Amino acid sequence: DYPAPRAVLTGHDHEVVCVSVCAELGLVISGAKEGPCLVHTITGDLLRALEGTENCLYPRLISVSSEGHCIIYYERGRFSDFRTLNGKLLAQMEINDSTR
């Protein structure tokens, strides 16, 4: 038995720099170098784009909880909290720390 891809995720115009998988919800969230972050099912269906404000353009890290929250870290200490089930932006914050 040779490993083979189960799905091909499409939709980004630039290289993917971060990915998070939530098996409990059956979701894959990926962020491209020039944004946005895309939400796919684990079978490859594109559901929606999670777009931050004008200051949140370059995603670097993604974390998804089994409750459906998606925290995205953008460059320069900017964070966004999205509800993955409907794509709603719940909160944003900026920290003045050297988080990398």
Side-chain angles (χ1 to χ4, degrees):
D1 219 14
Y2 294 100
R6 294 181 186 222
V8 176
L9 308 179
T10 61
H12 288 293
D13 294 329
H14 301 280
E15 65 189 82
V16 174
V17 294
C18 51
V19 175
S20 183
V21 178
C22 182
E24 295 89 354
L25 298 175
L27 298 176
V28 178
I29 302 175
S30 56
K33 184 176 184 179
E34 301 285 328
C37 293
L38 299 180
V39 181
H40 290 85
T41 65
I42 57 172
T43 57
D45 297 321
L46 177 61
L47 299 177
R48 69 185 47 84
L50 303 176
E51 296 191 46
T53 61
E54 63 277 353
N55 293 332
C56 298
L57 299 176
Y58 307 107
R60 295 298 173 247
L61 295 171
I62 300 173
S63 180
V64 183
S65 73
S66 59
E67 291 83 25
H69 286 273
C70 176
I71 305 293
I72 302 172
Y73 168 71
Y74 299 89
E75 63 183 15
R76 298 191 184 136
R78 295 181 178 104
F79 291 85
S80 294
D81 179 11
F82 290 92
R83 182 78 176 151
T84 58
L85 302 178
N86 61 12
K88 182 178 179 182
L89 177 63
L90 299 175
Q92 287 187 308
M93 71 178 297
E94 185 174 342
I95 60 170
N96 293 323
D97 195 7
S98 60
T99 305
R100 303 212 184 221

